[in-house]
Amino acid sequence: MAKLELLIFDVDGTLADTERDGHRIAFNRAFQDAGLDWNWNEALYGQLLAVTGGKERIKYYLSNFNTEFQAPDNLDEFVAGLHKSKTAHYVKLMEAGAVPLRPGVERLIQEARQNNLRMAIATTTTPQNVTALLTNTLGPDAESWFDIIAAGDMVPAKKPAPDIFNLVLQQLNLPAANCLAFEDSHNGVRAAAAAGLKTIVTVNGYTQHEDLSGAAIILDHLGEPQQPFKVIAGYAKGFDHVNLPFLHAFHQP
Ligand code: XBP
Ligand code: MG
């Protein structure tokens, strides 16, 4: 039977509700700085989340929601400039503590560290954003707790492609059967499942009604001893929060 050796965490929506209160705000600030009158409200942003990756999302917005806009000849350069500014705004928001970690996240990460269970990150967001979130929530050395932080453009095809998860597995030389993934979204669970990973999904406001059928279990959050999770789909084997005994029990077929 495969041993559980690695936890692979998505970042946005899984570790923290960064989409609504972090990325969205940062995009809007970048648009304003560039003199654009674009405003991505919460509802529109929910639609734009169909596409992962900030640069890809801006292009999707232009081709589907703002076709009137006369984009400059060099669209890639224009989008890259906006996105660079967006990343700077996002980092500032994290430094200001704008987005806390979701319930159970810090506890579970600390439990994994204490028990020498290895951890990795697999995300479509820009590496600087991961650094900003981890260091401002978990502490200055938090990045070193993860064996690999696979992020952003390290792979050409973003989620729902499995590439970012495959990169983690290849770099650490582990089979998918020895790992568990944590995700929050349709695109994320599709990517993890396509990499052969058993996946725990914790939903948020943007993803609760998505098709999450690749998930092994769907919870409202990871839970705390005094704040039990709600099981949306799947079997929690009598546990009411996700801890290491839960993960080992859950990892068994
Ligand atoms: C997250 C994303 C990211 C962020 C924006 O998806 O799609 O693109 O929304 O970050 P997931 P960047 O949680 O599935 O990894 O602007 O840095 O791309
Ligand atoms: Mg996510």
Side-chain angles (χ1 to χ4, degrees):
M1 201 175 293
K3 185 172 171 246
L4 177 59
E5 294 187 71
L6 181 74
L7 307 181
I8 310 176
F9 293 95
D10 167 49
V11 175
D12 297 308
T14 299
L15 298 184
D17 263 325
T18 45
E19 292 295 6
R20 192 193 57 201
D21 305 331
H23 292 294
R24 187 181 66 87
I25 309 292
F27 279 114
N28 284 332
R29 288 184 181 171
F31 301 153
Q32 203 178 359
D33 286 357
L36 299 164
D37 65 355
W38 311 349
N39 175 44
W40 289 2
N41 63 33
E42 282 184 40
L44 171 61
Y45 195 69
Q47 291 179 274
L48 297 174
L49 283 173
V51 170
T52 63
K55 295 186 287 291
E56 294 81 353
R57 190 168 296 141
I58 293 170
K59 287 185 188 168
Y60 176 64
Y61 167 71
L62 288 176
S63 55
N64 291 275
F65 297 86
N66 191 353
T67 47
E68 307 283 279
F69 181 71
Q70 291 292 316
D73 286 345
N74 195 333
L75 181 66
D76 283 347
E77 207 175 286
F78 170 69
V79 169
L82 281 177
H83 190 253
K84 194 169 169 215
S85 159
K86 177 259 168 178
T87 299
H89 279 296
Y90 183 87
V91 168
K92 267 192 227 146
L93 281 162
M94 295 304 112
E95 285 168 357
V99 188
L101 296 176
R102 297 190 62 195
V105 168
E106 179 161 13
R107 174 188 51 74
L108 185 64
I109 287 174
Q110 296 297 1
E111 254 183 82
R113 287 183 70 212
Q114 280 149 21
N115 290 276
N116 298 316
L117 179 57
R118 299 164 74 187
M119 295 183 285
I121 297 272
T123 175
T124 67
T125 203
T126 305
Q128 281 161 275
N129 298 345
V130 183
T131 304
L133 177 72
L134 294 180
T135 55
N136 288 290
T137 53
L138 292 167
D141 64 338
E143 282 176 287
S144 68
W145 305 348
F146 297 86
D147 284 14
I148 178 173
I149 296 182
D153 298 325
M154 282 181 194
V155 289
K158 293 185 176 166
K159 300 174 191 175
D163 303 30
I164 200 78
F165 287 103
N166 285 332
L167 179 71
V168 169
L169 299 176
Q170 277 157 18
Q171 295 280 320
L172 300 183
N173 198 21
L174 283 171
N178 296 43
C179 310
L180 285 175
F182 294 83
E183 271 291 352
D184 69 302
S185 69
H186 171 69
N187 283 325
V189 79
R190 269 181 70 193
L197 291 157
K198 197 166 186 179
T199 307
I200 295 170
V201 169
T202 51
V203 296
N204 56 59
Y206 277 131
T207 66
Q208 59 189 340
H209 301 301
E210 287 185 343
D211 171 9
L212 301 165
S213 48
I217 194 165
I218 306 174
L219 308 169
D220 60 344
H221 51 66
L222 294 176
E224 295 283 15
Q226 302 304 321
Q227 187 187 357
F229 57 52
K230 207 160 63 206
V231 180
I232 296 164
Y235 177 48
K237 301 193 175 186
F239 289 89
D240 69 2
H241 61 284
V242 175
N243 55 13
L244 255 54
F246 171 95
L247 294 181
H248 285 291
F250 184 74
H251 180 248
Q252 302 307 323

